[in-house]
């Protein structure tokens, strides 16, 4: 997991090229104005899913991890909490390859409050649960960048 700001470009210059490509896209595009759903950047290597939803209770949200893709959550509007835990600390369930989805259950290790311009990189080892309300349920708009694992 790496948490930061899309505006601190020099700080994250060490990240792999595909991750930098996604962060550059986030800096130069209004994610809130993009159409909901998948928006291609570099085919299957890098794309962004634009999501609009309302945050809610932790108990309403699901834990997930991925194997084929790294997730980069970037807030465009609103706020949310994203819970993260290392995969070895969680009870995982069978991998759903067609969805690149590993369902999981377990306890929170870290919680990050996301605000516009923030990003959170979740690697395959990072089980995450997004959409948790900060103070009260509220709408948000975000990009979830999918970076193919090299």
């Amino acid at each position: 997991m790496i948490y930061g700001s899309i505006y601190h470009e020099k700080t994250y210059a060490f990240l792999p090229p595909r991750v930098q490509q996604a962060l550059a896209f986030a800096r130069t595009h209004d994610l809130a104005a993009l159409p909901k759903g998948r928006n291609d950047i570099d085919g299957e290597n890098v794309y962004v899913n634009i999501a609009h939803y309302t945050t809610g209770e932790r108990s309403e949200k699901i834990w997930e991890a991925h194997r084929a893709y790294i997730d980069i959550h970037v807030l465009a509007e609103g706020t949310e909490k994203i819970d993260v835990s290392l995969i070895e600390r969680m009870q995982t369930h069978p991998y759903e390859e067609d969805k690149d989805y590993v369902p999981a259950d377990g306890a929170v290790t870290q919680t990050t409050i996301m605000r516009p311009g923030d990003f959170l990189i979740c690697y395959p080892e990072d089980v995450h649960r997004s959409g948790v309300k900060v103070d009260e349920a509220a709408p948000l708009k975000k990009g979830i960048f999918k970076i193919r694992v090299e």
Side-chain angles (χ1 to χ4, degrees), residues 12-143:
Y12 302 104
F14 69 92
L15 292 170
R18 290 181 184 166
V19 172
Q20 289 189 41
Q21 182 181 19
L23 294 176
F25 186 94
R27 276 192 301 278
T28 58
H29 292 78
D30 180 359
L31 298 180
L34 291 175
K36 289 193 322 187
R38 181 176 168 146
N39 292 260
D40 284 333
I41 299 169
D42 183 19
E44 295 300 314
N45 292 323
V46 181
Y47 61 91
V48 60
N49 289 322
I50 301 298
H52 301 183
Y53 58 83
T54 300
T55 59
E57 298 292 333
R58 232 179 213 115
S59 60
E60 300 169 354
K61 305 302 177 181
I62 60 166
W63 284 106
E64 65 179 3
H66 311 285
R67 291 185 182 167
Y69 285 90
I70 296 165
D71 273 3
I72 305 177
H73 297 256
V74 180
L75 259 288
E77 294 179 4
T79 60
E80 74 174 327
K81 289 181 184 176
I82 300 179
D83 296 331
V84 181
S85 191
L86 297 172
I87 201 162
E88 61 267 19
R89 296 181 183 165
M90 303 292 283
Q91 177 186 359
T92 58
H93 304 287
Y95 176 58
E96 298 176 26
E97 187 173 358
D98 61 322
K99 298 177 187 173
D100 186 36
Y101 172 68
V102 179
D105 295 298
V108 175
T109 300
Q110 177 66 40
T111 298
T112 301
I113 296 177
M114 302 286 291
R115 293 181 176 83
D118 292 353
F119 72 82
L120 181 70
I121 302 174
C122 295
Y123 289 91
E125 300 81 13
D126 301 321
V127 182
H128 50 284
R129 173 172 55 192
S130 61
V132 177
K133 69 180 185 174
V134 174
D135 294 315
E136 58 187 42
L140 65 74
K141 294 180 180 179
K142 70 188 282 187

